Amino acid sequence: MLEAPSWYARKYNSVLARTRETDPDAEFHISQTGREFHASRLTTIDYGDAYVLDLRDKGGIAMSGAIRDDALTAVFLWGEGTHFNGQRSEVPRLRVVGPGTEFKLEMPGSYRLMRIGLRGASLDALHAASGRRQDRRSWLMPGVHERGVASSAELELQRVVLRTTAFAEAAARRGRDFGASLGVAASEAGAALARALFQTEAPAERRLGTGEQRNVVDATLAIFEANPHAPVSVSAVCDVLGIGERTLERAFQECLAASPRAYERERRLRAAHGLILTEGDRLSVTDIAMRFGFWHLGRFAGAYSSLFGCSPGETRRFVWGDLQKMANHPA
């Protein structure tokens, strides 16, 4: 007989209450950084070798800590003004945080955190499989890794987190033990992460670019980040920086393996995707598309589908339609 998983769904109105919780995969410290009223909703399952978490939070906090030496965690963290180890984290993008990695998070307002963690036998299996293929993956090493997983695979991991935590939330709300279902859901989440990481191919080696090219790219990214909701034209960037479009194109291709237009559009697509995940229950796909400067809905749907492998409407229906049915009928 399987041991029942540890699961819960709770709400907090203070950082102090949050600090009483423990984490099987990490040591951490939380402090409040603003005077805004703190409110959060946390749903988790801890079962066997897998830990699944979905957190919605607001109120201005800072967190520092480290992943345990015997654990690995995959994280989606995004919110306005949010930083992960000093890097902006305002759109959903997968980060794989290796064993023993220190982290420092800053979340000045509302943010969302989704996680799948592996440890024990599941992590050992990844190490063994990697060793057999003689191409040990960097994500098994300490550090924060952001490469090699397709956007469609990221979406599938997000769906797994949402599906799994919906079971936990329904069980907590009803006060019943759906141990068998929750155990299967948590195990499937861990397996989905393991598959995504094992199938990841290391990217081709690229030059880092000259110092001048890196400066051009950094300055361009700063312009994009200063205009998170609106499209920014390449010509406008060139006018600000006083360079030609071919110079900007070469710098992006050399440093990021992408054109500036493609990078800027993907950033807005990911921001729109994040809004579907967090507020798709009250905003239509049209509302969300226009908020990020996608005025032609057909082109928006096509670009979104090319990136994530499904339409924005399908994502919205799953998160706010089918998922709700699943939460109401978890057995």
Side-chain angles (χ1 to χ4, degrees):
M1 181 175 178
L2 292 175
E3 179 183 355
S6 172
W7 55 265
Y8 62 87
R10 299 182 184 175
K11 294 182 179 181
Y12 303 92
N13 59 11
S14 74
V15 172
L16 180 62
R18 279 276 308 280
T19 60
R20 297 192 184 107
E21 296 296 343
T22 59
D23 189 305
D25 296 338
E27 299 281 355
F28 62 88
H29 172 74
I30 302 176
S31 60
Q32 187 158 350
T33 58
R35 296 182 179 179
E36 183 181 351
F37 178 77
H38 185 83
S40 62
R41 190 177 105 191
L42 177 67
T43 307
T44 68
I45 300 178
D46 179 17
Y47 179 72
D49 300 328
Y51 181 67
V52 186
L53 175 148
D54 183 26
L55 170 66
R56 301 180 187 186
D57 189 61
K58 64 180 180 180
I61 67 171
M63 179 185 296
S64 59
I67 303 299
R68 300 182 192 279
D69 291 339
D70 59 350
L72 172 147
T73 188
V75 179
F76 296 95
L77 170 68
W78 74 98
E80 187 172 356
T82 295
H83 284 73
F84 192 119
N85 281 5
Q87 295 185 346
R88 295 176 75 99
S89 185
E90 297 188 339
V91 299
R93 187 182 297 275
L94 181 66
R95 289 180 172 88
V96 178
V97 189
T101 302
E102 295 184 356
F103 57 83
K104 184 176 180 180
L105 314 179
E106 299 174 15
M107 293 80 74
S110 297
Y111 70 94
R112 184 79 174 266
L113 173 65
M114 303 167 69
R115 275 178 53 192
I116 303 176
L118 295 178
R119 59 185 180 274
S122 295
L123 191 56
D124 291 341
L126 282 176
H127 277 285
S130 178
R132 286 196 299 271
R133 291 185 59 172
Q134 297 181 342
D135 62 348
R136 197 172 187 82
R137 307 296 187 182
S138 63
W139 33 256
L140 291 170
M141 300 292 100
V144 180
H145 314 291
E146 303 179 58
R147 64 177 190 174
V149 178
S151 299
S152 56
E154 291 185 2
L155 175 58
E156 180 56 31
L157 291 176
Q158 292 164 358
R159 293 177 64 166
V160 166
V161 171
L162 292 169
R163 184 165 55 240
T164 305
T165 54
F167 279 123
E169 189 166 0
R173 184 169 63 249
R174 295 184 183 191
R176 296 170 58 187
D177 185 359
F178 295 105
S181 296
L182 290 169
V184 170
S187 297
E188 288 180 347
L193 174 58
R195 285 195 303 272
L197 296 182
F198 184 71
Q199 293 169 2
T200 298
E201 294 296 334
E205 290 293 330
R206 297 190 63 84
R207 296 189 301 273
L208 294 176
T210 65
E212 183 177 354
Q213 287 175 325
R214 291 194 297 273
N215 290 339
V216 166
V217 170
D218 289 343
T220 303
L221 297 184
I223 294 172
F224 290 163
E225 290 166 355
N227 300 271
H229 295 158
V232 181
S233 70
V234 169
S235 60
V237 171
C238 291
D239 288 343
V240 172
L241 300 182
I243 60 175
E245 292 191 15
R246 294 180 65 180
T247 298
L248 181 63
E249 179 77 24
R250 284 196 297 268
F252 262 74
Q253 290 292 350
E254 189 67 30
C255 297
L256 299 179
S259 72
R261 288 182 177 87
Y263 185 96
E264 189 273 341
R265 185 178 68 167
E266 180 177 331
R267 187 177 188 281
R268 286 185 292 123
L269 286 170
R270 286 182 175 276
H273 174 68
L275 199 57
I276 292 174
L277 294 180
T278 55
E279 299 190 42
D281 57 334
R282 67 178 189 85
L283 296 176
S284 68
V285 169
T286 299
D287 293 333
I288 292 171
M290 291 187 172
R291 180 171 295 194
F292 293 99
F294 293 103
W295 310 115
H296 192 294
L297 297 182
R299 292 174 185 167
F300 168 67
Y304 183 99
S305 297
S306 295
L307 183 60
F308 292 105
C310 67
S311 72
E314 289 171 332
T315 299
R316 184 174 181 270
R317 282 192 296 274
F318 175 80
V319 174
W320 300 107
D322 296 344
L323 191 60
Q324 186 61 43
K325 296 177 184 176
M326 195 179 305
N328 293 332
H329 304 284

